[in-house]
Amino acid sequence: MAHYFEIKKNKAGEFVAYFKYDSETIFWTEGYSSKASAKNAIESILKNGPGAEVRDEA
């Protein structure tokens, strides 16, 4: 699959969820103190993201 989420620890020891496409990071979440919280962030993105509107303010 060309796109995926990846959870890694940052330098501060927090868990961060990265969304990647062809191994390139597209966006990432804030740092969380637990891996479960990072997984919850991914679930929220998957649940709420598909219906998000696009705002073009250029």
Side-chain angles (χ1 to χ4, degrees):
M1 184 177 280
H3 55 283
Y4 56 93
F5 284 96
E6 181 175 80
I7 298 174
K8 295 198 280 188
K9 276 192 170 184
N10 63 14
K11 290 181 181 181
E14 302 168 318
F15 294 94
V16 179
Y18 296 86
F19 179 75
K20 295 190 169 194
Y21 183 81
D22 286 338
S23 299
E24 181 179 342
T25 300
I26 305 300
F27 69 86
W28 57 92
T29 66
E30 62 184 281
Y32 296 98
S33 59
S34 71
K35 188 183 282 188
S37 294
K39 287 182 178 182
N40 286 339
I42 292 171
E43 290 301 318
S44 178
I45 293 165
L46 292 172
K47 177 182 173 187
N48 299 304
E53 66 180 272
V54 175
R55 294 183 181 178
D56 184 354
E57 300 190 20

